[in-house]
Amino acid sequence: MEIFNSSEFNTLVRINRYFEGTAKVECTYSYTYYIESYGKTYTHVGHATKTFRVRCLPNYATLSDEDIELNIGETYRLSYSLDKYSSIDGEWSSSNENVATVDSRGNVRAVSSGRSRIKLDPIVGPVVYCDVEVVQSEPTSVSIPSSLTVYVGESSTLSSTLTPYNATTTLTWYSKDTDVATVSSGKVTGVDEGSTIVYARTANGLTSNDCKVDVYYRKPTAIALDKASLTLPVGGSQQLKYSFTPSHARASVEWSSSNPSVVSVSADGKLNALKMGETTITATTDNGCTTTCMVEVLPLPVQLSLPQTLTLGVGDSHKLGVQSYPSECYLELEWSSSDESVAAVSDNGEVKGLGTGQATVTATASNGVSISCDVEVTEPAYFLNLWLHDGGCFTYPLSEHPTICADKETTTVKTQTESVEFQTADVHKYTLGKTDPIAGEYSEITSLGAALPENRPNLRMEQNRIVLSQCESNMPVNIYSVSGQLIGKYKTDTDGYLAIPINNFPKGAYMIKSRSITHKFIKR
């Protein structure tokens, strides 16, 4: 009920929803009056409360039905009429929506067996009810489709038809060969190629007709290999594996090699490397899908070389680089350390000092050729660096207890063995460091009984130049910085000879590479 102040002397009362009995409305007001007596005016002020009783007149609603019976799944429309016209719509509700539901227009839907009461609140009058009883109609027959095709790894759902149309039941589904197809709640899933019978049974014991289910494998839309490219040694082998899209597709696969004299391939995708070269292996399905793998066959190493010695501090690491002949060969190394408490070595040749002492690190190729490096691990030596503005650096071991005395003009560094003066203006900064790992010269290359060619490529360092001889004629030779930047391109002459001047090269490390030689050198 709402109350509106419409003027100073009266108010409006509006009833929002029907109620029985009476409602109390209290009005509290103030007043003032004046009295004149013997020429004087007297003012009186006061307040009071007035109570009013409001009774709501009903507008009675009449439902079209007060008691109905429905089968599960059926719907029924309830309507109502009012004694007097009203533009206000009533509100519908159900006492048990698990049994029956009702929408805003009075449409009742039977959900499950049981009883529910549908309530109409007409807003303008008393509520009215309709009792609903939902019963389950037992089926007299059940039918399903007579045939179905599915694919391995995929599913399809069978529909069912009950008689009479409003009957309800719980269906249990069966497959006579679950190795071919399984079924659950009518959803048939292909397991393997073949045929089986699927049927359904109702809760009251009725059995449906048979549905013949044929299961097939899909043909692939694409084929992929586990390797897009690989490198093999001469005499090596590799099994290629394929997969289909979709994954549950099936097809026969035919293998081929573009150069079978380099690599042969068997009917099941096994590769055998026969000689040096390159080839393309192609896998083709019986429905035309193809994929390829690029294969390069390299010779096994005849020679290996490593630095003869390596000195590093405890906790320091250094990666050993292996040189091989020929330089372009199949190099798969196994690393080992004679004393892992002194030096440990990773699968990629990185040596880490763990404790002071000596150990031998050995790299062994897949064909048995091996080479070793003697590793000495020491306590790390720390030192003080004094840097000048021109880039010069002077190093003082901390073991000699260097001290620095500086004023505006002169900076003096004193150790136990010497005292050196610098102009203070020339000094840029001081840093602390420790000795870096030191690798010795590369050891003599070892071989495993293989005869080395007498005219194998030869590289030697001469003053201010690198000399290559006994190489291929007109063979490209490139020099790179250690960061991989190309420094220069060269080519041997017709006799396989090349001399590269390096007097203009900045100090630093470089890599010289060709088809037969890979060598690191340092310009000091």
Side-chain angles (χ1 to χ4, degrees):
M1 187 167 64
E2 296 178 322
I3 299 175
F4 302 87
N5 289 323
S6 59
S7 73
E8 186 178 353
F9 303 106
N10 57 68
T11 189
L12 296 176
V13 177
R14 183 172 70 185
I15 299 175
N16 298 320
R17 184 182 291 269
Y18 169 77
F19 62 89
E20 295 184 351
T22 60
K24 183 175 67 173
V25 176
E26 288 186 347
C27 175
T28 300
Y29 59 92
S30 300
Y31 60 88
T32 303
Y33 64 90
Y34 305 91
I35 299 175
E36 291 187 5
S37 178
Y38 301 105
K40 291 184 178 182
T41 301
Y42 299 92
T43 303
H44 293 269
V45 178
H47 64 274
T49 299
K50 177 67 175 177
T51 300
F52 301 90
R53 294 289 176 177
V54 179
R55 183 168 65 89
C56 182
L57 298 177
N59 188 358
Y60 291 102
T62 302
L63 278 175
S64 58
D65 296 272
E66 295 181 354
D67 197 347
I68 58 176
E69 181 179 286
L70 298 175
N71 292 315
I72 295 175
E74 283 188 323
T75 60
Y76 188 83
R77 172 74 181 275
L78 288 175
S79 61
Y80 69 96
S81 59
L82 295 170
D83 287 348
K84 295 181 285 291
Y85 169 77
S86 173
S87 61
I88 299 175
D89 292 330
E91 295 177 353
W92 297 89
S93 61
S94 170
S95 65
N96 190 346
E97 292 193 343
N98 292 325
V99 173
T101 62
V102 62
D103 64 16
S104 61
R105 302 183 64 185
N107 294 304
V108 180
R109 183 174 66 87
V111 177
S112 62
S113 58
R115 295 186 66 85
S116 179
R117 170 167 279 193
I118 303 301
K119 182 177 75 172
L120 168 68
D121 184 351
I123 309 300
V124 295
V127 297
V128 289
Y129 301 92
C130 173
D131 291 320
V132 178
E133 182 174 3
V134 180
V135 296
Q136 181 169 330
S137 177
E138 295 288 344
T140 58
S141 67
V142 57
S143 62
I144 61 176
S146 60
S147 63
L148 178 69
T149 298
V150 295
Y151 294 92
V152 174
E154 300 180 22
S155 301
S156 183
T157 300
L158 286 171
S159 60
S160 60
T161 303
L162 299 177
T163 302
Y165 76 95
N166 57 355
T168 58
T169 189
T170 300
L171 290 177
T172 304
W173 294 83
Y174 301 90
S175 170
K176 290 187 176 181
D177 190 346
T178 55
D179 290 335
V180 173
T182 60
V183 60
S184 176
S185 300
K187 183 179 180 180
V188 181
T189 302
V191 177
D192 198 2
E193 201 164 55
S195 297
T196 186
I197 297 298
V198 168
Y199 61 95
R201 185 169 292 155
T202 66
N204 62 338
L206 300 175
T207 301
S208 72
N209 59 291
D210 290 341
C211 174
K212 182 187 177 186
V213 178
D214 294 315
V215 182
Y216 301 99
Y217 280 96
R218 283 197 182 275
K219 288 297 183 180
T221 58
I223 181 175
L225 296 177
D226 58 339
K227 291 179 175 59
S229 63
L230 60 90
T231 303
L232 292 175
V234 174
S237 63
Q238 176 76 45
Q239 178 68 54
L240 287 178
K241 298 178 181 180
Y242 61 83
S243 59
F244 293 140
T245 301
S247 59
H248 48 263
R250 177 173 289 185
S252 61
V253 177
E254 183 178 340
W255 298 87
S256 63
S257 172
S258 65
N259 196 344
S261 64
V262 172
V263 176
S264 64
V265 58
S266 66
D268 62 352
K270 185 176 181 179
L271 308 182
N272 290 294
L274 304 178
K275 68 176 184 179
M276 290 175 55
E278 294 182 351
T279 187
T280 300
I281 303 298
T282 302
T284 305
T285 66
D286 55 15
N287 67 326
C289 299
T290 63
T291 187
T292 60
C293 173
M294 302 298 296
V295 183
E296 181 181 15
V297 180
L298 296 175
L300 287 165
V302 178
Q303 305 168 328
L304 296 176
S305 68
L306 270 178
Q308 286 183 320
T309 60
L310 173 65
T311 303
L312 71 164
V314 174
D316 290 338
S317 298
H318 180 77
K319 186 174 181 180
L320 290 173
V322 175
Q323 294 181 3
S324 63
Y325 178 82
S327 60
E328 294 294 330
C329 66
Y330 183 84
L331 194 60
E332 189 175 272
L333 298 174
E334 181 178 341
W335 293 86
S336 62
S337 170
S338 63
D339 190 344
E340 292 192 347
S341 66
V342 174
V345 60
S346 68
D347 292 339
N348 64 353
E350 184 171 358
V351 181
K352 183 172 184 178
L354 300 179
T356 58
Q358 294 182 338
T360 299
V361 170
T362 302
T364 304
S366 55
N367 63 341
V369 178
S370 64
I371 189 70
S372 297
C373 172
D374 294 327
V375 179
E376 182 178 7
V377 181
T378 62
E379 291 293 340
Y382 296 92
F383 49 84
L384 170 72
N385 289 322
L386 183 147
W387 296 84
L388 301 181
H389 286 290
D390 63 5
C393 180
F394 296 85
T395 299
Y396 302 94
L398 293 186
S399 60
E400 296 185 6
H401 306 291
T403 60
I404 301 171
C405 300
D407 55 32
K408 293 184 178 180
E409 300 295 333
T410 305
T411 295
T412 304
V413 181
K414 294 182 179 180
T415 68
Q416 294 174 340
T417 59
E418 63 178 342
S419 177
V420 182
E421 290 186 355
F422 301 92
Q423 295 295 319
T424 299
D426 293 337
V427 177
H428 175 51
K429 63 179 179 180
Y430 306 96
T431 60
L432 293 176
K434 66 178 180 178
T435 304
D436 293 328
I438 301 174
E441 295 295 327
Y442 273 74
S443 64
E444 292 296 326
I445 296 174
T446 64
S447 64
L448 193 68
L452 301 178
E454 294 182 0
N455 61 339
R456 61 190 175 94
N458 179 53
L459 181 148
R460 64 182 184 275
M461 299 288 294
E462 296 182 355
Q463 186 175 8
N464 291 327
R465 69 175 188 169
I466 299 172
V467 177
L468 283 77
S469 59
Q470 300 179 177
C471 299
E472 301 175 37
S473 62
N474 300 314
M475 180 182 70
V477 178
N478 297 332
I479 294 183
Y480 301 87
S481 67
V482 289
S483 63
Q485 181 181 1
L486 180 63
I487 302 300
K489 292 184 176 182
Y490 307 90
K491 186 179 290 187
T492 59
D493 62 17
T494 55
D495 295 326
Y497 177 86
L498 174 65
I500 304 174
I502 60 172
N503 53 307
N504 292 328
F505 282 27
K507 294 180 180 179
Y510 298 88
M511 183 71 70
I512 182 170
K513 297 190 71 173
S514 70
R515 284 195 295 268
S516 58
I517 292 178
T518 299
H519 182 76
K520 180 180 179 181
F521 69 92
I522 298 176
K523 171 70 182 298
R524 303 184 185 278

